[in-house]
Amino acid sequence: MNVLSQYAQHMLESYSNSPRGKYVSLFIVRRVESEAIFRTEGSGEPLNKEFVHAGGDASSPVIQRVVISKRKQTAVERRTGRELLRRLNLLFATKEGVCSLNANQPCEKCIDCMVYGYAAGGGGAQRSRVITDDAFSLHPAPLITDKKMFNAPFDNSSPWLPEKEGSDKGKRMTGLGADEYVRPEALFLDIETMRDLTPGELQYALGNVLRSSRYGAIASRIGKVRNSLVGIAFSDCELFSNLELTQHSYDLLRGGSADLDFPLSDTAAVQAVRESIQALRRRVMGQVTMLDADTTHALVAELSDLYANEDALRSGLRETTRGYGRGLPDNA
Ligand SMILES: [Zn+2]
């Protein structure tokens, strides 16, 4: 980890339970690559949307933007990470099996539990060190959405109404309406802020972001997303919000025209996001160390080499797990 080690002073040498105020902000462009529906799992609700100002100025018109909820983003990325930990036997046993989020049986010792947090039934708790926020579409909702019929009516891929629907329990769905979806090439801007991570934990969490690609409704087989890391900053405080970044980038891209083009070229969008980060950074009251575009690329390349090398990856994750001082799972 040649690139990351140059920034070691901005991370923790070893895990600590007390806040140290060392923040890493990942600037991510999430690009939708297939028709996608973002909504609360299993809710049957329509797309999540919010009314917000189009640009950064108070006189800017109010528009509706599509939202990917912070819960959705973290849930998907945790799932990606836990798949890897499970494969490498780095999830610890619990009374009733193995560390599991679905069964609310956190082991309280694996990297996932320690980085993303847990609240155990027995009273143990660890606050998440990954701070996320709802991500907004760069474009107004009407430009990037459309309606059509989809096959899987529920997120669990069952054609039956879920049990919680009460009197309709177990009733087969008929006469489905059309679902509103997000069109391919829609862009969402997102800052994931991570607090007090060791370099090993950052490699894990960043790997989860870059390796996650399905953010749509589970099992509906729609909602492919490509995450690109367009910048990374180390700082002693949190920086600015997803909404500010989205609005500022919108203003830059729109220029004098009535509205944004759709789809936008990746290059233009990334350039605008980078310029916006530089502009918004001036409002931050604190110390910020920003990686330039080349260094960010080099870091992503380094990470991609690591994930391609199973032995190196396994040994790094084992070391990070041992760093919590509770050894390794018996079968690791
Ligand atoms: Zn765990």
Side-chain angles (χ1 to χ4, degrees):
M1 20 176 225
N2 291 323
V3 179
L4 205 52
S5 59
Q6 291 165 34
Y7 298 89
Q9 75 271 27
H10 299 291
M11 290 168 274
L12 264 56
E13 220 169 292
S14 60
Y15 168 73
S16 162
N17 196 21
S18 53
R20 300 295 164 94
K22 293 186 185 243
Y23 293 88
V24 189
S25 299
L26 310 179
F27 298 97
I28 304 159
V29 173
R30 303 193 192 272
R31 183 177 188 267
V32 174
E33 304 223 302
S34 69
E35 292 157 352
I37 297 178
F38 304 113
R39 60 186 171 205
T40 314
E41 299 279 315
S43 66
E45 286 166 14
L47 281 177
N48 293 336
K49 288 184 215 165
E50 289 287 354
F51 283 102
V52 291
H53 284 98
D57 200 273
S59 64
S60 180
V62 170
I63 58 164
Q64 215 173 11
R65 283 193 157 99
V66 179
V67 171
I68 311 180
S69 75
K70 57 180 172 184
R71 250 185 82 196
K72 162 73 76 184
Q73 300 172 68
T74 320
V76 170
E77 288 157 20
R78 283 189 89 158
R79 207 176 299 136
T80 301
R82 294 178 74 89
E83 260 173 38
L84 174 67
L85 296 180
R86 195 172 302 119
R87 182 160 63 79
L88 299 177
N89 294 322
L90 288 171
L91 295 174
F92 288 78
T94 61
K95 272 183 228 152
E96 327 216 341
V98 76
C99 180
S100 156
L101 290 180
N102 294 339
N104 195 20
Q105 287 280 326
C107 69
E108 311 180 23
K109 300 180 219 172
C110 69
I111 307 181
D112 177 84
C113 283
M114 297 303 285
V115 170
Y116 293 92
Y118 61 82
Q126 163 83 34
R127 273 185 66 183
S128 178
R129 285 179 285 147
V130 178
I131 307 158
T132 51
D133 214 341
D134 292 347
F136 296 88
S137 60
L138 186 57
H139 293 82
L143 271 183
I144 56 158
T145 54
D146 211 339
K147 275 190 177 174
K148 74 191 256 188
M149 297 287 286
F150 288 98
N151 288 328
F154 288 109
D155 288 358
N156 59 9
S157 80
S158 153
W160 304 84
L161 281 170
E163 292 197 12
K164 64 176 180 184
E165 300 284 317
S167 60
D168 287 336
K169 178 174 171 179
K171 189 173 160 190
R172 196 175 173 86
M173 285 294 286
T174 50
L176 297 169
D179 275 315
E180 194 177 28
Y181 68 94
V182 177
R183 295 164 65 192
E185 302 200 2
L187 303 173
F188 291 76
L189 308 188
D190 191 38
I191 309 167
E192 274 197 35
T193 307
M194 318 209 162
R195 188 171 50 82
D196 300 328
L197 295 191
T198 62
E201 289 175 327
L202 179 58
Q203 283 179 319
Y204 173 73
L206 184 49
N208 293 346
V209 171
L210 295 175
R211 296 186 313 116
S212 292
S213 61
R214 292 270 168 203
Y215 289 78
I218 297 177
S220 59
R221 305 195 186 283
I222 58 173
K224 192 156 172 47
V225 171
R226 180 162 54 83
N227 293 323
S228 307
L229 185 71
V230 300
I232 178 164
F234 295 97
S235 60
D236 58 1
C237 58
E238 282 192 67
L239 301 182
F240 34 85
S241 69
N242 287 346
L243 186 57
E244 285 174 291
L245 181 61
T246 307
Q247 289 168 329
H248 201 282
S249 305
Y250 175 89
D251 285 336
L252 281 183
L253 284 160
R254 194 175 65 91
S257 20
D259 212 332
L260 297 191
D261 289 340
F262 180 80
L264 273 176
S265 96
D266 264 13
T267 327
V270 167
Q271 186 59 33
V273 174
R274 290 208 170 111
E275 281 177 35
S276 298
I277 294 168
Q278 293 303 341
L280 292 167
R281 177 190 164 174
R282 291 185 209 115
R283 300 186 200 161
V284 175
M285 304 283 275
Q287 292 178 25
V288 185
T289 304
M290 193 85 211
L291 271 61
D292 62 23
D294 289 344
T295 315
T296 305
H297 279 145
L299 178 62
V300 171
E302 186 172 276
L303 209 64
S304 124
D305 287 347
L306 174 70
Y307 276 85
N309 181 340
E310 179 99 352
D311 289 341
L313 182 63
R314 181 195 303 270
S315 109
L317 290 170
R318 286 169 69 103
E319 192 188 320
T320 302
T321 307
R322 268 200 217 96
Y324 302 128
R326 290 176 229 156
L328 289 172
D330 293 338
N331 57 351

